[in-house]
Amino acid sequence: MRYDGTVVFVTGGAGFIGSAVIRHFLDHTGAFVVNIDKLTYASNRCSIPQAAGHPRYAFAELDICNENGLRALFECYRPAAVMNLAAESHVDRSIDGPGEFIQTNIVGTFTLLQESLHYWRSLMSARSEAFRFLHVSTDEVYGSLGASGLFTEATAYAPNSPYSASKASSDHLVRAYHETYGLDTTVTNCSNNYGPYQFPEKLIPLTIVNILLGKPLPVYGDGLQVRDWLHVEDHCAAITLALRSGRPGEVYNVGGNSETTNMEIVRTLCGLVDEALGARAELRAAFPNSPAVQAMPSVGLITHVRDRLGHDRRYAIDYAKAAAELGYAPARDLAMGLRATLDWYLANTRWWQALLGRDYADWLEKNYKR
Ligand code: NAD
Ligand code: TYD
C-alpha cells in the first residue's frame, strides 16, 4: 500500500475506531504506526493486543491540544500521513458537559492542523507532495433526516448536539486548511460504528453488557429513532481507501447499508443473547443474573427512559461517491455483524469487565434516571 515503509500518525488510537485502524495497519500493511492518545476514560491500550513489542508500533501519551508535544513527535518520526481519530465521542456526555468536546474536537484538531502545516512546510518537494491529513468525522454533522432521504456530501451542515457541533467545526477547519494553505486533507463522514472493543456506553455494547448482567436496557423516548450501522472493520477499509486514493480536499460519506430503529437493535440483541445462553451452560454459569438463566426473555429488561435532549430522529448515508471513487462497499450486513459482535463480547469478558468501575456505574445510574 501507498504508506508501506513510511510512518503514519494515528491520533485516538487507544479508542474504539482508532485501535481497529491500528490493528489493521499492523496486520495488513507495512507502515510504522505512532499511536498518539491522551488515554481518556474511553481508551484502552489492551485493544491492540499485537502492539506489545511490535517493531512497527510506537505509543505516545499526549493530548492533541499540546502543540509542543506534537511538534516534537513530528520532528522525531517525520510521518507521511496523519489520521485524526482523537475525539470526545459520546453525545450524552456532550450534553452533560460540552467543554471537553470543544477542547479536544475543535482546539485539538486546530492544534494538530497547525503542527501538520508547520511540519509539511518544512518538507522537501517529493515528501511534501506525498503528505496527507485524513480527518475522521461523523454523519451527525448533517443533522436529522425525516422519514426519507439520505445525507450526501452536498448536504448542508446542521449539527444539533454539542458533540456534532464540535465535529462540524473541526471539519470546517480541516477544509479551510486545504483551501487556504493547500494542505492535502481528506474528510470522511461515517454512520454509527459497532464491533469489537467498543466502550459499553454506546447503544450496542451497552445493551449486550446489560443483558448479560441482568440490568435494565434504557431506550430513549419511543426507541423509533433510526441509525445506519457500520461495522468498524468496514469503516477501517473505507478510511484506508480514502487515505490511499481519496482526492485532496474531498469529503467522502461512509455508510453500512443498515438503517434500523434503536428498538429493533435492542430486541435483536435480546434474542441473540437468549439464544446463546440457552444453548451454552458455561455462559449461564458465567452470567447468573441474565434473564435467560431463568428461561425469561431478555426483552423484559427494556425500559423506556426520558428522551435525549435534541435527539436526532434519523440518519442515513449515501456513499455512492466513496463507492465510485474509492471502490468502497461494506462487506458485512447487520445481522451477521451483530452476531459476530456478541460473540466477541462473550469471548472477551475480561476486556469489558475491567471497565465496569465506579465511574461507569455512576454514569449508568444517571442514564436510568433520565
Ligand atoms: P472513542 O471515544 O472510542 O475514542 C477516542 C479516543 O481518543 C480515546 O482513546 C481517547 O483517549 C482519545 N482522545 C480523546 N481526547 C484526546 C485528546 N485531547 N488527545 C489525544 N487523544 C484523545 O471514539 P471512537 O468511537 O473510536 O471515534 C473515533 C473518531 O470517529 C472520532 O473522531 C469520532 O467523532 C468519529 N466517529 C465515531 C463514530 C462511532 O460510531 N463511534 C461514528 C462516526 C464518527
Ligand atoms: P449512541 O450509541 O450513543 O450513538 P449516537 O448518539 O452517536 O447515535 O446511540 C445510538 C442511538 O441509541 C441513539 O439514537 C440514542 C440511542 N440510545 C438509547 O436509546 N439508549 C442508550 O442507552 C444509548 C446509549 C443510546
Side-chain angles (χ1 to χ4, degrees):
M1 100 128 183
R2 175 172 161 184
Y3 292 93
D4 283 357
T6 70
V7 175
V8 174
F9 281 5
V10 178
T11 72
F16 167 49
I17 303 172
S19 66
V21 169
I22 294 179
R23 292 193 301 274
H24 174 85
F25 266 76
L26 295 182
D27 292 348
H28 302 295
T29 77
F32 185 104
V33 181
V34 182
N35 177 4
I36 302 172
D37 199 295
K38 179 183 165 184
L39 298 183
T40 69
Y41 79 94
S43 68
N44 194 331
R45 291 185 67 184
C46 301
S47 300
I48 315 171
Q50 59 273 66
H54 198 290
R56 289 188 290 104
Y57 177 83
F59 176 71
E61 183 174 345
L62 189 78
D63 189 327
I64 56 163
C65 299
N66 180 342
E67 58 187 87
N68 292 332
L70 286 175
R71 188 160 297 193
L73 287 179
F74 275 106
E75 280 166 11
C76 173
Y77 289 105
R78 310 196 60 74
V82 173
M83 301 174 82
N84 183 28
L85 292 100
E88 287 294 335
S89 68
H90 193 49
V91 174
D92 294 322
R93 290 186 190 252
S94 83
I95 295 168
D96 288 352
E100 281 293 314
F101 289 71
I102 304 305
Q103 203 52 35
T104 286
N105 299 0
I106 305 178
V107 179
T109 300
F110 159 70
T111 311
L112 189 63
L113 282 165
Q114 276 289 91
E115 290 310 314
S116 298
L117 182 64
H118 176 87
Y119 163 73
W120 173 65
R121 284 176 162 166
S122 76
L123 295 174
M124 304 302 271
S125 65
R127 279 181 69 98
S128 90
E129 274 162 33
F131 181 78
R132 167 156 285 190
F133 185 104
L134 183 120
H135 179 66
V136 173
S137 191
T138 168
D139 58 358
E140 303 192 22
V141 298
Y142 299 121
S144 186
L145 289 165
S148 61
L150 302 169
F151 296 134
T152 73
E153 291 81 359
T155 303
Y157 274 32
N160 291 319
S161 71
Y163 163 69
S164 53
S166 68
K167 291 296 292 184
S169 179
S170 66
D171 295 4
H172 290 322
L173 283 167
V174 174
R175 176 189 158 84
Y177 273 64
H178 174 73
E179 296 296 323
T180 304
Y181 306 112
L183 191 68
D184 179 337
T185 64
T186 304
V187 176
T188 56
N189 294 87
C190 70
S191 48
N192 284 57
N193 282 223
Y194 71 102
Y197 299 102
Q198 187 169 30
F199 190 85
E201 66 183 351
K202 304 273 167 61
L203 181 67
I204 288 176
L206 178 133
T207 301
I208 293 172
V209 165
N210 281 12
I211 301 171
L212 294 174
L213 300 179
K215 290 179 183 287
L217 308 176
V219 169
Y220 302 169
D222 62 10
L224 299 180
Q225 305 82 4
V226 173
R227 298 291 182 264
D228 172 49
W229 293 95
L230 170 65
H231 193 278
V232 69
E233 281 154 27
D234 283 330
H235 184 203
C236 281
I239 54 186
T240 310
L241 286 167
L243 181 73
R244 190 166 59 200
S245 45
R247 283 185 292 132
E250 290 295 322
V251 174
Y252 297 93
N253 282 354
V254 181
N257 257 348
S258 297
E259 268 191 67
T260 313
T261 65
N262 295 339
M263 272 308 269
E264 271 177 83
I265 291 282
V266 173
R267 285 181 170 279
T268 302
L269 288 171
C270 286
L272 289 174
V273 175
D274 292 352
E275 189 186 308
L277 266 66
R280 289 168 60 185
E282 82 279 12
L283 291 177
R284 293 196 294 281
F287 302 108
N289 296 322
S290 189
V293 172
Q294 310 296 331
M296 301 286 284
S298 298
V299 286
L301 294 173
I302 293 176
T303 308
H304 286 272
V305 297
R306 190 163 71 85
D307 208 352
R308 177 185 276 174
L309 297 176
H311 200 168
D312 288 334
R313 196 65 181 168
R314 176 170 166 262
Y315 303 144
I317 287 255
D318 176 347
Y319 62 83
K321 182 177 172 185
E325 290 190 19
L326 308 176
Y328 165 73
R332 293 158 189 82
D333 73 21
L334 186 61
M336 169 179 141
L338 285 179
R339 214 171 256 280
T341 302
L342 171 63
D343 287 346
W344 187 88
Y345 278 85
L346 290 173
N348 292 275
T349 51
R350 277 213 270 185
W351 182 89
W352 56 265
Q353 279 170 338
L355 306 172
L356 308 182
R358 185 74 247 148
D359 286 355
Y360 181 77
D362 288 349
W363 183 83
L364 267 190
E365 192 61 24
K366 206 157 100 184
N367 244 21
Y368 298 139
K369 291 186 180 145
R370 298 157 64 87

